Amino acid sequence: MESEATNKSRVVMVESGESWDFYISQATTQTRPIAVHFTASWCMPSVAMNPIFEDLASAHPDIMFLTVDVDAVKIFVSAIFTKIRLQIFGDLILSHEAGNEHRVVSSGNFILIEAAAKMEVNAMPTFVLVKDSAQVDKIVGANPEEIRKRIDSFVQSIPANIAQSL
């Protein structure tokens, strides 16, 4: 019988802006590279990439693997795609979209909107590779061989002393 530890995912689901900040800060402090999968439950190519991302996480323990499901974190998705204007009022953000009523987005999720916009996430799935707090690569689309190739190359770029300390 397999132990519970062997079934545990190495991919961390980011569920809020606060958890995003925590994992990014943790990785930065540890000088640990990050692979992020921006996904959506309605996007079948994204869903199809989940097991591949899991396999890559198992194969590369020296990288922090994060998944951001734009539906699960209740990001106002059109804010990512159309970069609509947002106004901050205390802990709430009102989004303005022509022809639609205002929607309220929590400030914690605004961090994720900012992160996705900064990384120019315009389609699902998008994979972003980050090292030393800087984006070093981005792969758009569900291409398992290209993702494997890029992550393998990313791993090779990590100094040996960093990989050994993880």
Side-chain angles (χ1 to χ4, degrees):
M1 177 178 247
E2 289 183 86
S3 72
E4 190 174 316
T6 42
N7 292 330
K8 185 170 176 167
S9 173
R10 284 214 57 257
V11 177
V12 177
M13 177 64 73
V14 177
E15 298 177 348
S16 69
E18 290 82 8
S19 65
W20 172 265
D21 278 348
F22 172 79
Y23 292 118
I24 296 300
S25 174
Q26 183 182 43
T28 302
T29 300
Q30 297 172 353
T31 61
R32 190 173 188 181
I34 305 165
V36 185
H37 176 197
F38 287 93
T39 184
S41 59
W42 47 262
C43 176
M44 288 306 107
S46 283
V47 172
M49 290 304 295
N50 288 338
I52 286 128
F53 202 60
E54 285 283 348
D55 289 346
L56 287 165
S58 294
H60 300 293
D62 42 350
I63 297 176
M64 179 180 286
F65 283 79
L66 303 176
T67 294
V68 177
D69 184 326
V70 296
D71 292 330
V73 295
K74 296 180 180 29
I75 292 177
F76 184 44
V77 177
S78 65
I80 295 171
F81 298 128
T82 62
K83 297 181 182 148
I84 58 176
R85 184 172 57 95
L86 300 173
Q87 290 183 334
I88 302 172
F89 294 99
D91 283 344
L92 298 178
I93 300 162
L94 292 178
S95 59
H96 300 270
E97 184 177 22
N100 289 342
E101 40 186 87
H102 299 293
R103 298 181 190 214
V104 177
V105 180
S106 73
S107 59
N109 287 338
F110 182 65
I111 294 165
L112 287 170
I113 292 170
E114 282 185 314
K118 181 179 177 182
M119 295 178 185
E120 297 180 358
V121 175
N122 298 316
M124 301 301 156
T126 295
F127 299 86
V128 177
L129 305 178
V130 178
K131 186 166 69 172
D132 299 326
S133 301
Q135 179 178 321
V136 295
D137 200 359
K138 180 170 75 172
I139 308 108
V140 179
N143 183 336
E145 290 312 310
E146 185 64 21
I147 306 259
R148 287 182 205 280
K149 182 176 107 183
R150 298 268 194 92
I151 288 181
D152 288 344
S153 175
F154 185 51
V155 168
Q156 297 302 315
S157 73
I158 301 167
N161 62 334
I162 291 174
Q164 289 172 355
S165 68
L166 299 175

